[in-house]
Amino acid sequence: MTRERKTIIKKKYINLLWSLYGQGGRMVFQTSYFLGLAAILSPSQFGEYIIIASIILILSPFCGLGFNNILVKTIKTDMNQFREMFGKTIVSTIISYVMLLITGEIVVYIIFGSTDSALFILFLMLCFADLLCLKFNEMSSHIYIAKGLIRKSSNILTSISLVRFASVLIYYVLPINKEKTILIWSAIYLALALLITIYYLVRSLSENNYPKLNVNISKENIKEGIYFSIGLSSQGIYNEIDKSILGKFTNVEVTGYYGFAYKLIDLLFIPIKGVLSITYPKFFEVGIKLGIAESYKYAKKVIVPIIIYTSIVSILCFLLIDPISSKLMIGKYQESILIVKLLLPIVILRGIHYVFADALTGAGYQRDRSIIQLFVAMINFTLNIILIKVYGVYGAILSSVLSDLIMTVLIIYTIKKKIKSIRMV
C-alpha cells in the first residue's frame, strides 16, 4: 500500500471519528434536552410543543429553497461559483423564512382552532430558533463538510444540541415565576440559539470567501433547489404530519405520549446521520463522474454497517426501554413505552432508504427522489387521516411504519430500473 493511499485512508477514518464525535455529542445533549423538556412540561404542554415543532419541521425544507444542498454541490464541482452561491443561499433563506413564518401561524390557528396568543407566541419563538437560526447553522456546517473540514462541522452540530440542553438547564436554575413554563423556556432557548447562530455565521464568513449578496437568483437555481426542498419536505411530511393530525383528531396529551416515543426513535437514528453527513458529498463525486451503477455500488458498501447498527440498537431498545424509562421519567410517560416498541422498525427502514436515496441524488436523479418522497408523503397523509380517525395513536404508528417500508421499496426499485435502462442503451 502506497503512502498516499495510507494517508487517504487515515484521513477517511479521522473524518469518521470527528463526525461520530459530533453526532455523539449531539446525541448526549439532545437526549438530555429531550428528557429535561419532557420532565418540566406536562404531557399536554409537551403535546403542544410536539405539534408546533412538527409544523416547523414540515416547513423547514422550504426555508432556503434547498440552496444549502446546491451550495454543497457547488463546492464539490465548481468552486469558482462559491461566492455567488453563498450569497444566494443567504438571501433565499431570509426571504423564504418570512413567508414560512406567516404560513405557519395560519396552520397553528387551523390545528388548534384557538385565538390563544400564547400558542402563536410559542410558534414565533420556536420558528425563529428552529427555522431561521438552525438553517444558517446548517449552512455553515454544510460548507465545512463539503470542504472536508469535518471537525468544524461536528462542533456546530454539537453546539446546536448543547444550546437546547442549556436552555432547559438554565430554566431549572433561574429563580423565575414558572407559571407559563413553555413560554419562559422557549424565550431562553431563542436567546441562546440567536447567540450561537451569530457566532458561527460570523466565523463562517471570516473563514471563507465573502458571499455576493447582490445576486440574481435564476429560475434554474430555484428549480434545482425546489427539487431538494420537495424531497426534504415530503420526508418531513411523512415523518411529522402524524403529530399534527393526532393533535387535531385526538388531544394534545395523546400527542404528547406519541411525540415522546417518536423523539426516542429519532435519538436512536442520530449516529446514522453522522455517517450520512460524510457519505453525502461522496455520492456526488461517484455519481456525477461514474453514474448511477457506481453510486449504487458505493451505497451497498455504506449500508452494511448501518443495517448492523440499526438492528442491534433496535433489539437493545426493545429489551431495555421498560426499566430505563420507568426510572428516568418515574412513569410520567409510561404510555409511550409500547408506542416506542411498535415504531422500532422505522429505525432500520429509515437507515436503508436514506442511503439509497442519497445514491439517487448523487447520480443526478434528485427529481426522481423528490417524486418518490412526494408520492409517499401523499400516501402517508391519506393513511393518517383514515387510520387515526379509526384507531387513534395506533393508526399513526401503522401509517408511519408502512410509509417507510413503501419508501424503501420504491427507492431501491427506481435505482435498479435506472441501471437496467442504462445498460440496455
Side-chain angles (χ1 to χ4, degrees), residues 57-62 226-240 370 373-374 377:
L57 284 170
I58 292 171
L59 296 176
S60 179
F62 290 105
I226 285 294
Y227 282 138
F228 283 107
S229 293
I230 290 174
L232 291 170
S233 66
S234 302
Q235 179 180 305
I237 289 172
Y238 70 73
N239 283 340
E240 303 299 332
S370 298
Q373 289 174 320
L374 183 60

Side-chain angles (χ1 to χ4, degrees), residues 340-383:
V340 172
K341 291 180 177 180
L342 294 174
L343 286 173
L344 282 172
I346 290 177
V347 179
I348 300 172
L349 291 170
R350 193 179 292 179
I352 297 171
H353 71 67
Y354 268 49
V355 173
F356 288 117
D358 281 350
L360 268 178
T361 298
Y365 295 104
Q366 176 62 37
R367 179 176 178 273
D368 297 85
R369 176 180 182 172
S370 298
I371 290 173
I372 293 170
Q373 289 174 320
L374 183 60
F375 175 69
V376 174
M378 292 170 63
I379 291 176
N380 180 266
F381 179 79
T382 304
L383 286 174

Side-chain angles (χ1 to χ4, degrees), residues 269-301:
F269 197 73
I270 285 177
I272 300 302
K273 290 183 179 179
V275 177
L276 295 176
S277 67
I278 293 178
T279 58
Y280 184 65
K282 182 68 175 179
F283 275 112
F284 283 113
E285 290 184 20
V286 175
I288 291 176
K289 292 178 182 178
L290 303 175
I292 185 66
E294 289 300 314
S295 184
Y296 180 52
K297 186 177 179 180
Y298 177 64
K300 287 191 289 185
K301 292 180 181 179

Side-chain angles (χ1 to χ4, degrees), residues 213-277:
L213 296 177
N214 186 20
V215 291
N216 292 320
I217 300 177
S218 66
K219 291 182 179 179
E220 288 73 21
N221 290 146
I222 295 175
K223 182 179 179 181
E224 184 178 7
I226 285 294
Y227 282 138
F228 283 107
S229 293
I230 290 174
L232 291 170
S233 66
S234 302
Q235 179 180 305
I237 289 172
Y238 70 73
N239 283 340
E240 303 299 332
I241 195 66
D242 45 1
K243 290 88 168 176
S244 300
I245 297 175
L246 266 176
K248 182 69 176 177
F249 290 113
T250 58
N251 58 67
V252 290
E253 191 170 38
V254 170
T255 307
Y257 294 135
Y258 180 79
F260 183 87
Y262 211 99
K263 285 292 182 182
L264 286 178
I265 296 298
D266 287 339
L267 288 174
L268 297 179
F269 197 73
I270 285 177
I272 300 302
K273 290 183 179 179
V275 177
L276 295 176
S277 67

Side-chain angles (χ1 to χ4, degrees), residues 19-57:
S19 181
L20 291 176
Y21 146 75
Q23 296 298 336
R26 185 182 178 191
M27 188 172 190
V28 170
F29 290 123
Q30 278 285 87
T31 303
S32 302
Y33 152 73
F34 165 62
L35 294 176
L37 188 61
I40 66 175
L41 300 179
S42 66
S44 60
Q45 282 185 319
F46 193 72
E48 291 175 348
Y49 161 75
I50 287 294
I51 294 170
I52 288 177
S54 298
I55 295 170
I56 293 171
L57 284 170

Side-chain angles (χ1 to χ4, degrees), residues 20 107 122 182 198 207 242 275-276 287 311 322 336 338:
L20 291 176
V107 174
L122 178 64
I182 196 166
I198 292 172
E207 293 181 355
D242 45 1
V275 177
L276 295 176
S311 299
D322 286 279
S336 300
L338 178 58

